[in-house]
Amino acid sequence: MKKSLTATVSWVGKVDWDLTHFHGDEYSTHKGSSYNSYVIEEGKTVLVDTVWKPFAKEFVDNLEAEGLLGKLDAIVAQHAESDHSGAMPELLRRRPDLPVYCTANGVKSLRGHYHQDWDFHVVKTGDELDLGNGKKLVFVEAPMLHWPDSMFSYMTGDAILFSNDAFGQHLATEKLFNDLVDQDELYDEAIKYYANILTPFSALVKAKIDFVLSLKLPLNMIATSHGVIWRDNPAQIVLKYLEWCQDYREDRVTILYDTMWEGTRALADTFARAISDASPSTTVVSHCLSKFDKNDALTDVFRSKALLLGSPTVGKGLLTAVAGTLEEIKGLRFTGKKAAAFGTYGWSGESVGIIGSALKAAGFDVVDDGFKALWNPDDEALKAAYEYGKAFAAKVT
Ligand code: FEO
């Protein structure tokens, strides 16, 4: 139900404790999520975003129970993805007179999803919605953060930036604000969200943050559409985004692989030991992709300066867990990272070449031809793997 951000701004969203996957099955949400919707009650009563469709009736019923449904003067639809627009059909069925403020791309997306001709009011950067009481919402188009239709809305007076997906986290909590939750959990979910959703749009993130900062607006809160609201030092997440959007890397190496009969795993374990021995300051993590969470693995890639990706050759190709992860890596368009491939084989041995070419095409600086071992690696092959791991550590410093 309704929770206050300020005297006139409230959260009216939905905490989804049971969500285990988001974007279909593409993004693991170990900590659930929330769909944050806000209501502004000034001279006008304005709703900012809604919730996902399964919670549509509950959401609109809650607005009615709070005495808000009949009071609303407008809805601002900052983003048409269904986790934020999913309750619009139910809301507008019960309040068909409500004007909908969104971008031109928002009209296309909302029509594409719901096939309705609502009372759309197209806005662009700098346009304003008068809220009464001397306050207004100023709109800032934010294409590709996260879809072409996305926009931010800045509320003057209360100095709240409604940022929709940007600065969000998939974190279910009854605590509304960033200072009230476990800080490590919050950081982990914020960086996972950036790594898995926003990485391909990093250049646009940088440009949009630079633009918003150039306006030199006061900022009391960043009210995101997922997770907590940043009220304690809201600039901290903006500064983190500025780090993350510019070839982000830590002194970290990630090894990802899958294995059929433990041969490729033996190589991965040997590389982990060799890199740690050669570069004690480097954090090395190694994950078997058929057993480890894919999105957590991709977060490790995002944090790393280098990736070793391995698969045995099977049917002249790769194990499917590795092939699927490569597809995600291609789409995420990581920048500023080095990489190499490895794997065992019995006869034809294509996997290392396939992985190396795919990593290169995905924008990685592939430092060498990778490491292959015939059949199950013997002591001699493991010694060679150890030397390869040490050499790789030197190449990626
Ligand atoms: Fe949270 Fe792009 O939707």
Side-chain angles (χ1 to χ4, degrees), residues 22-23 79 81 83-84 146-147 150 164-165 170 193 225-226:
F22 185 76
H23 280 160
H79 179 24
E81 195 163 10
D83 49 328
H84 309 297
H146 158 228
W147 276 6
S150 297
N164 196 262
D165 279 335
H170 286 305
Y193 185 97
S225 61
H226 298 290

Side-chain angles (χ1 to χ4, degrees), residues 268-285:
D269 291 351
T270 304
F271 295 147
R273 188 161 45 85
I275 295 166
S276 289
D277 288 351
S279 178
S281 65
T282 300
T283 299
V284 182
V285 293

